[in-house]
Amino acid sequence: MGIILNDGLIAGMNVIGVRFKNNEVYVPEVLIAARAMHAGMAVIKPLIANSGVREKGVVVVGTVKGDLHDIGKNLLGMMLEGAGYRVIDIGVDNAPEKFLKAVQEHNPQIVGMSALLTTTMGQMKATIEQLGPHKDNVKVMVGGAPVTQKFADEIGADAYAPDAATAVELANQLLVS
Ligand code: B1M
């Protein structure tokens, strides 16, 4: 299972990421690769479910209000699922109230917010504020191209991950902290 996921699907996505950065492929190819990864994950999902991997915890993931970018967030969700988490994906363009509703409804250990625009990053702070007292019971992780560790510290997030693989490692650490 790990070989299919790590050496196949994720390795392929990493190749696309590098080529995209080098302007060797463009948005359509990135979208095609993301779709292929989704299709591959759908095939191996039942195997993950039956492989005896114990559910580690529940993670709510979503892109913040005003932001429609979801490729990175989807990749994060897939990698978390592959690592044994139950992922509640609330999609894109989520107002702080929507994150709060998802936290109340699903009682996750971690809520993960993604933002790809400098203009939408601020919604992460607004969401943490909206969580209010619920923030004591859930760890908040943030990520996305414009987000930095400094920004995460400033808004009171519990963790910042520059990529999906690091996000999974940090999720594991957050559960024991
Ligand atoms: Co947009 N876009 N886009 N775009 N887009 C960027 C982000 C931009 C940097 C392009 C540029 O100008 N160079 C720029 C933002 C500038 C800025 O604010 N600094 C930009 C812009 C301006 C816009 C529009 C405003 C363009 C316009 O309409 N004028 C518009 C905004 C729409 C909106 O959201 N309201 C727009 C629209 C779009 C498309 C719809 C065409 C499409 C999105 C399709 C989709 O997502 N379904 C799109 C795309 C594809 C991009 C680029 C080209 C690629 C983003 C991507 O998917 N990367 C992007 C340029 C770039 O990044 N080079 C760009 C691949 C993906 C795997 O990486 O999402 O970074 P990424 O995720 C990584 C990490 O960031 C991290 O892990 C992932 C994998 O390792 N990560 C997390 C992400 N979330 C995380 C959460 C975590 C932890 C890690 O914890 C919770």
Side-chain angles (χ1 to χ4, degrees):
M1 180 65 49
I3 293 174
I4 299 172
L5 190 64
N6 298 323
D7 300 347
L9 299 178
I10 293 170
M13 201 64 187
N14 286 342
V15 170
I16 279 289
V18 172
R19 297 190 66 189
F20 182 62
K21 209 155 129 186
N22 295 336
N23 293 320
E24 292 166 8
V25 300
Y26 301 96
V27 172
E29 286 89 351
V30 177
L31 291 174
I32 291 167
R35 209 183 308 153
M37 179 141 180
H38 259 300
M41 278 298 290
V43 173
I44 65 167
K45 217 170 175 177
L47 302 176
I48 292 173
N50 295 332
S51 65
V53 176
R54 205 166 57 86
E55 186 179 294
K56 284 186 186 159
V58 178
V59 186
V60 164
V61 296
T63 306
V64 299
K65 185 180 173 188
D67 204 319
L68 303 175
H69 295 87
D70 68 355
I71 298 173
K73 184 262 299 166
N74 293 345
L75 191 56
L76 170 70
M78 282 187 256
M79 290 193 60
L80 285 167
E81 281 185 356
Y85 289 90
R86 181 153 61 88
V87 174
I88 312 290
D89 188 339
I90 61 171
V92 297
D93 191 18
N94 288 288
E97 297 78 17
K98 287 217 185 138
F99 277 101
L100 173 60
K101 190 164 171 276
V103 166
Q104 288 171 322
E105 198 174 322
H106 301 287
N107 201 21
Q109 282 77 31
I110 300 170
V111 57
M113 287 185 270
S114 182
L116 263 287
L117 300 171
T118 43
T119 49
T120 59
M121 283 166 74
Q123 289 298 322
M124 292 178 160
K125 184 169 189 274
T127 302
I128 289 175
E129 285 166 3
Q130 181 79 48
L131 288 177
H134 294 276
K135 174 72 185 66
D136 296 339
N137 304 321
V138 69
K139 303 283 186 190
V140 174
M141 188 189 293
V142 293
V147 181
T148 61
Q149 181 67 58
K150 186 170 174 283
F151 177 76
D153 293 341
E154 279 167 11
I155 64 170
D158 298 293
Y160 154 72
D163 55 63
T166 310
V168 172
E169 284 170 20
L170 288 176
N172 294 337
Q173 289 172 22
L174 285 175
L175 287 198
V176 293
S177 68

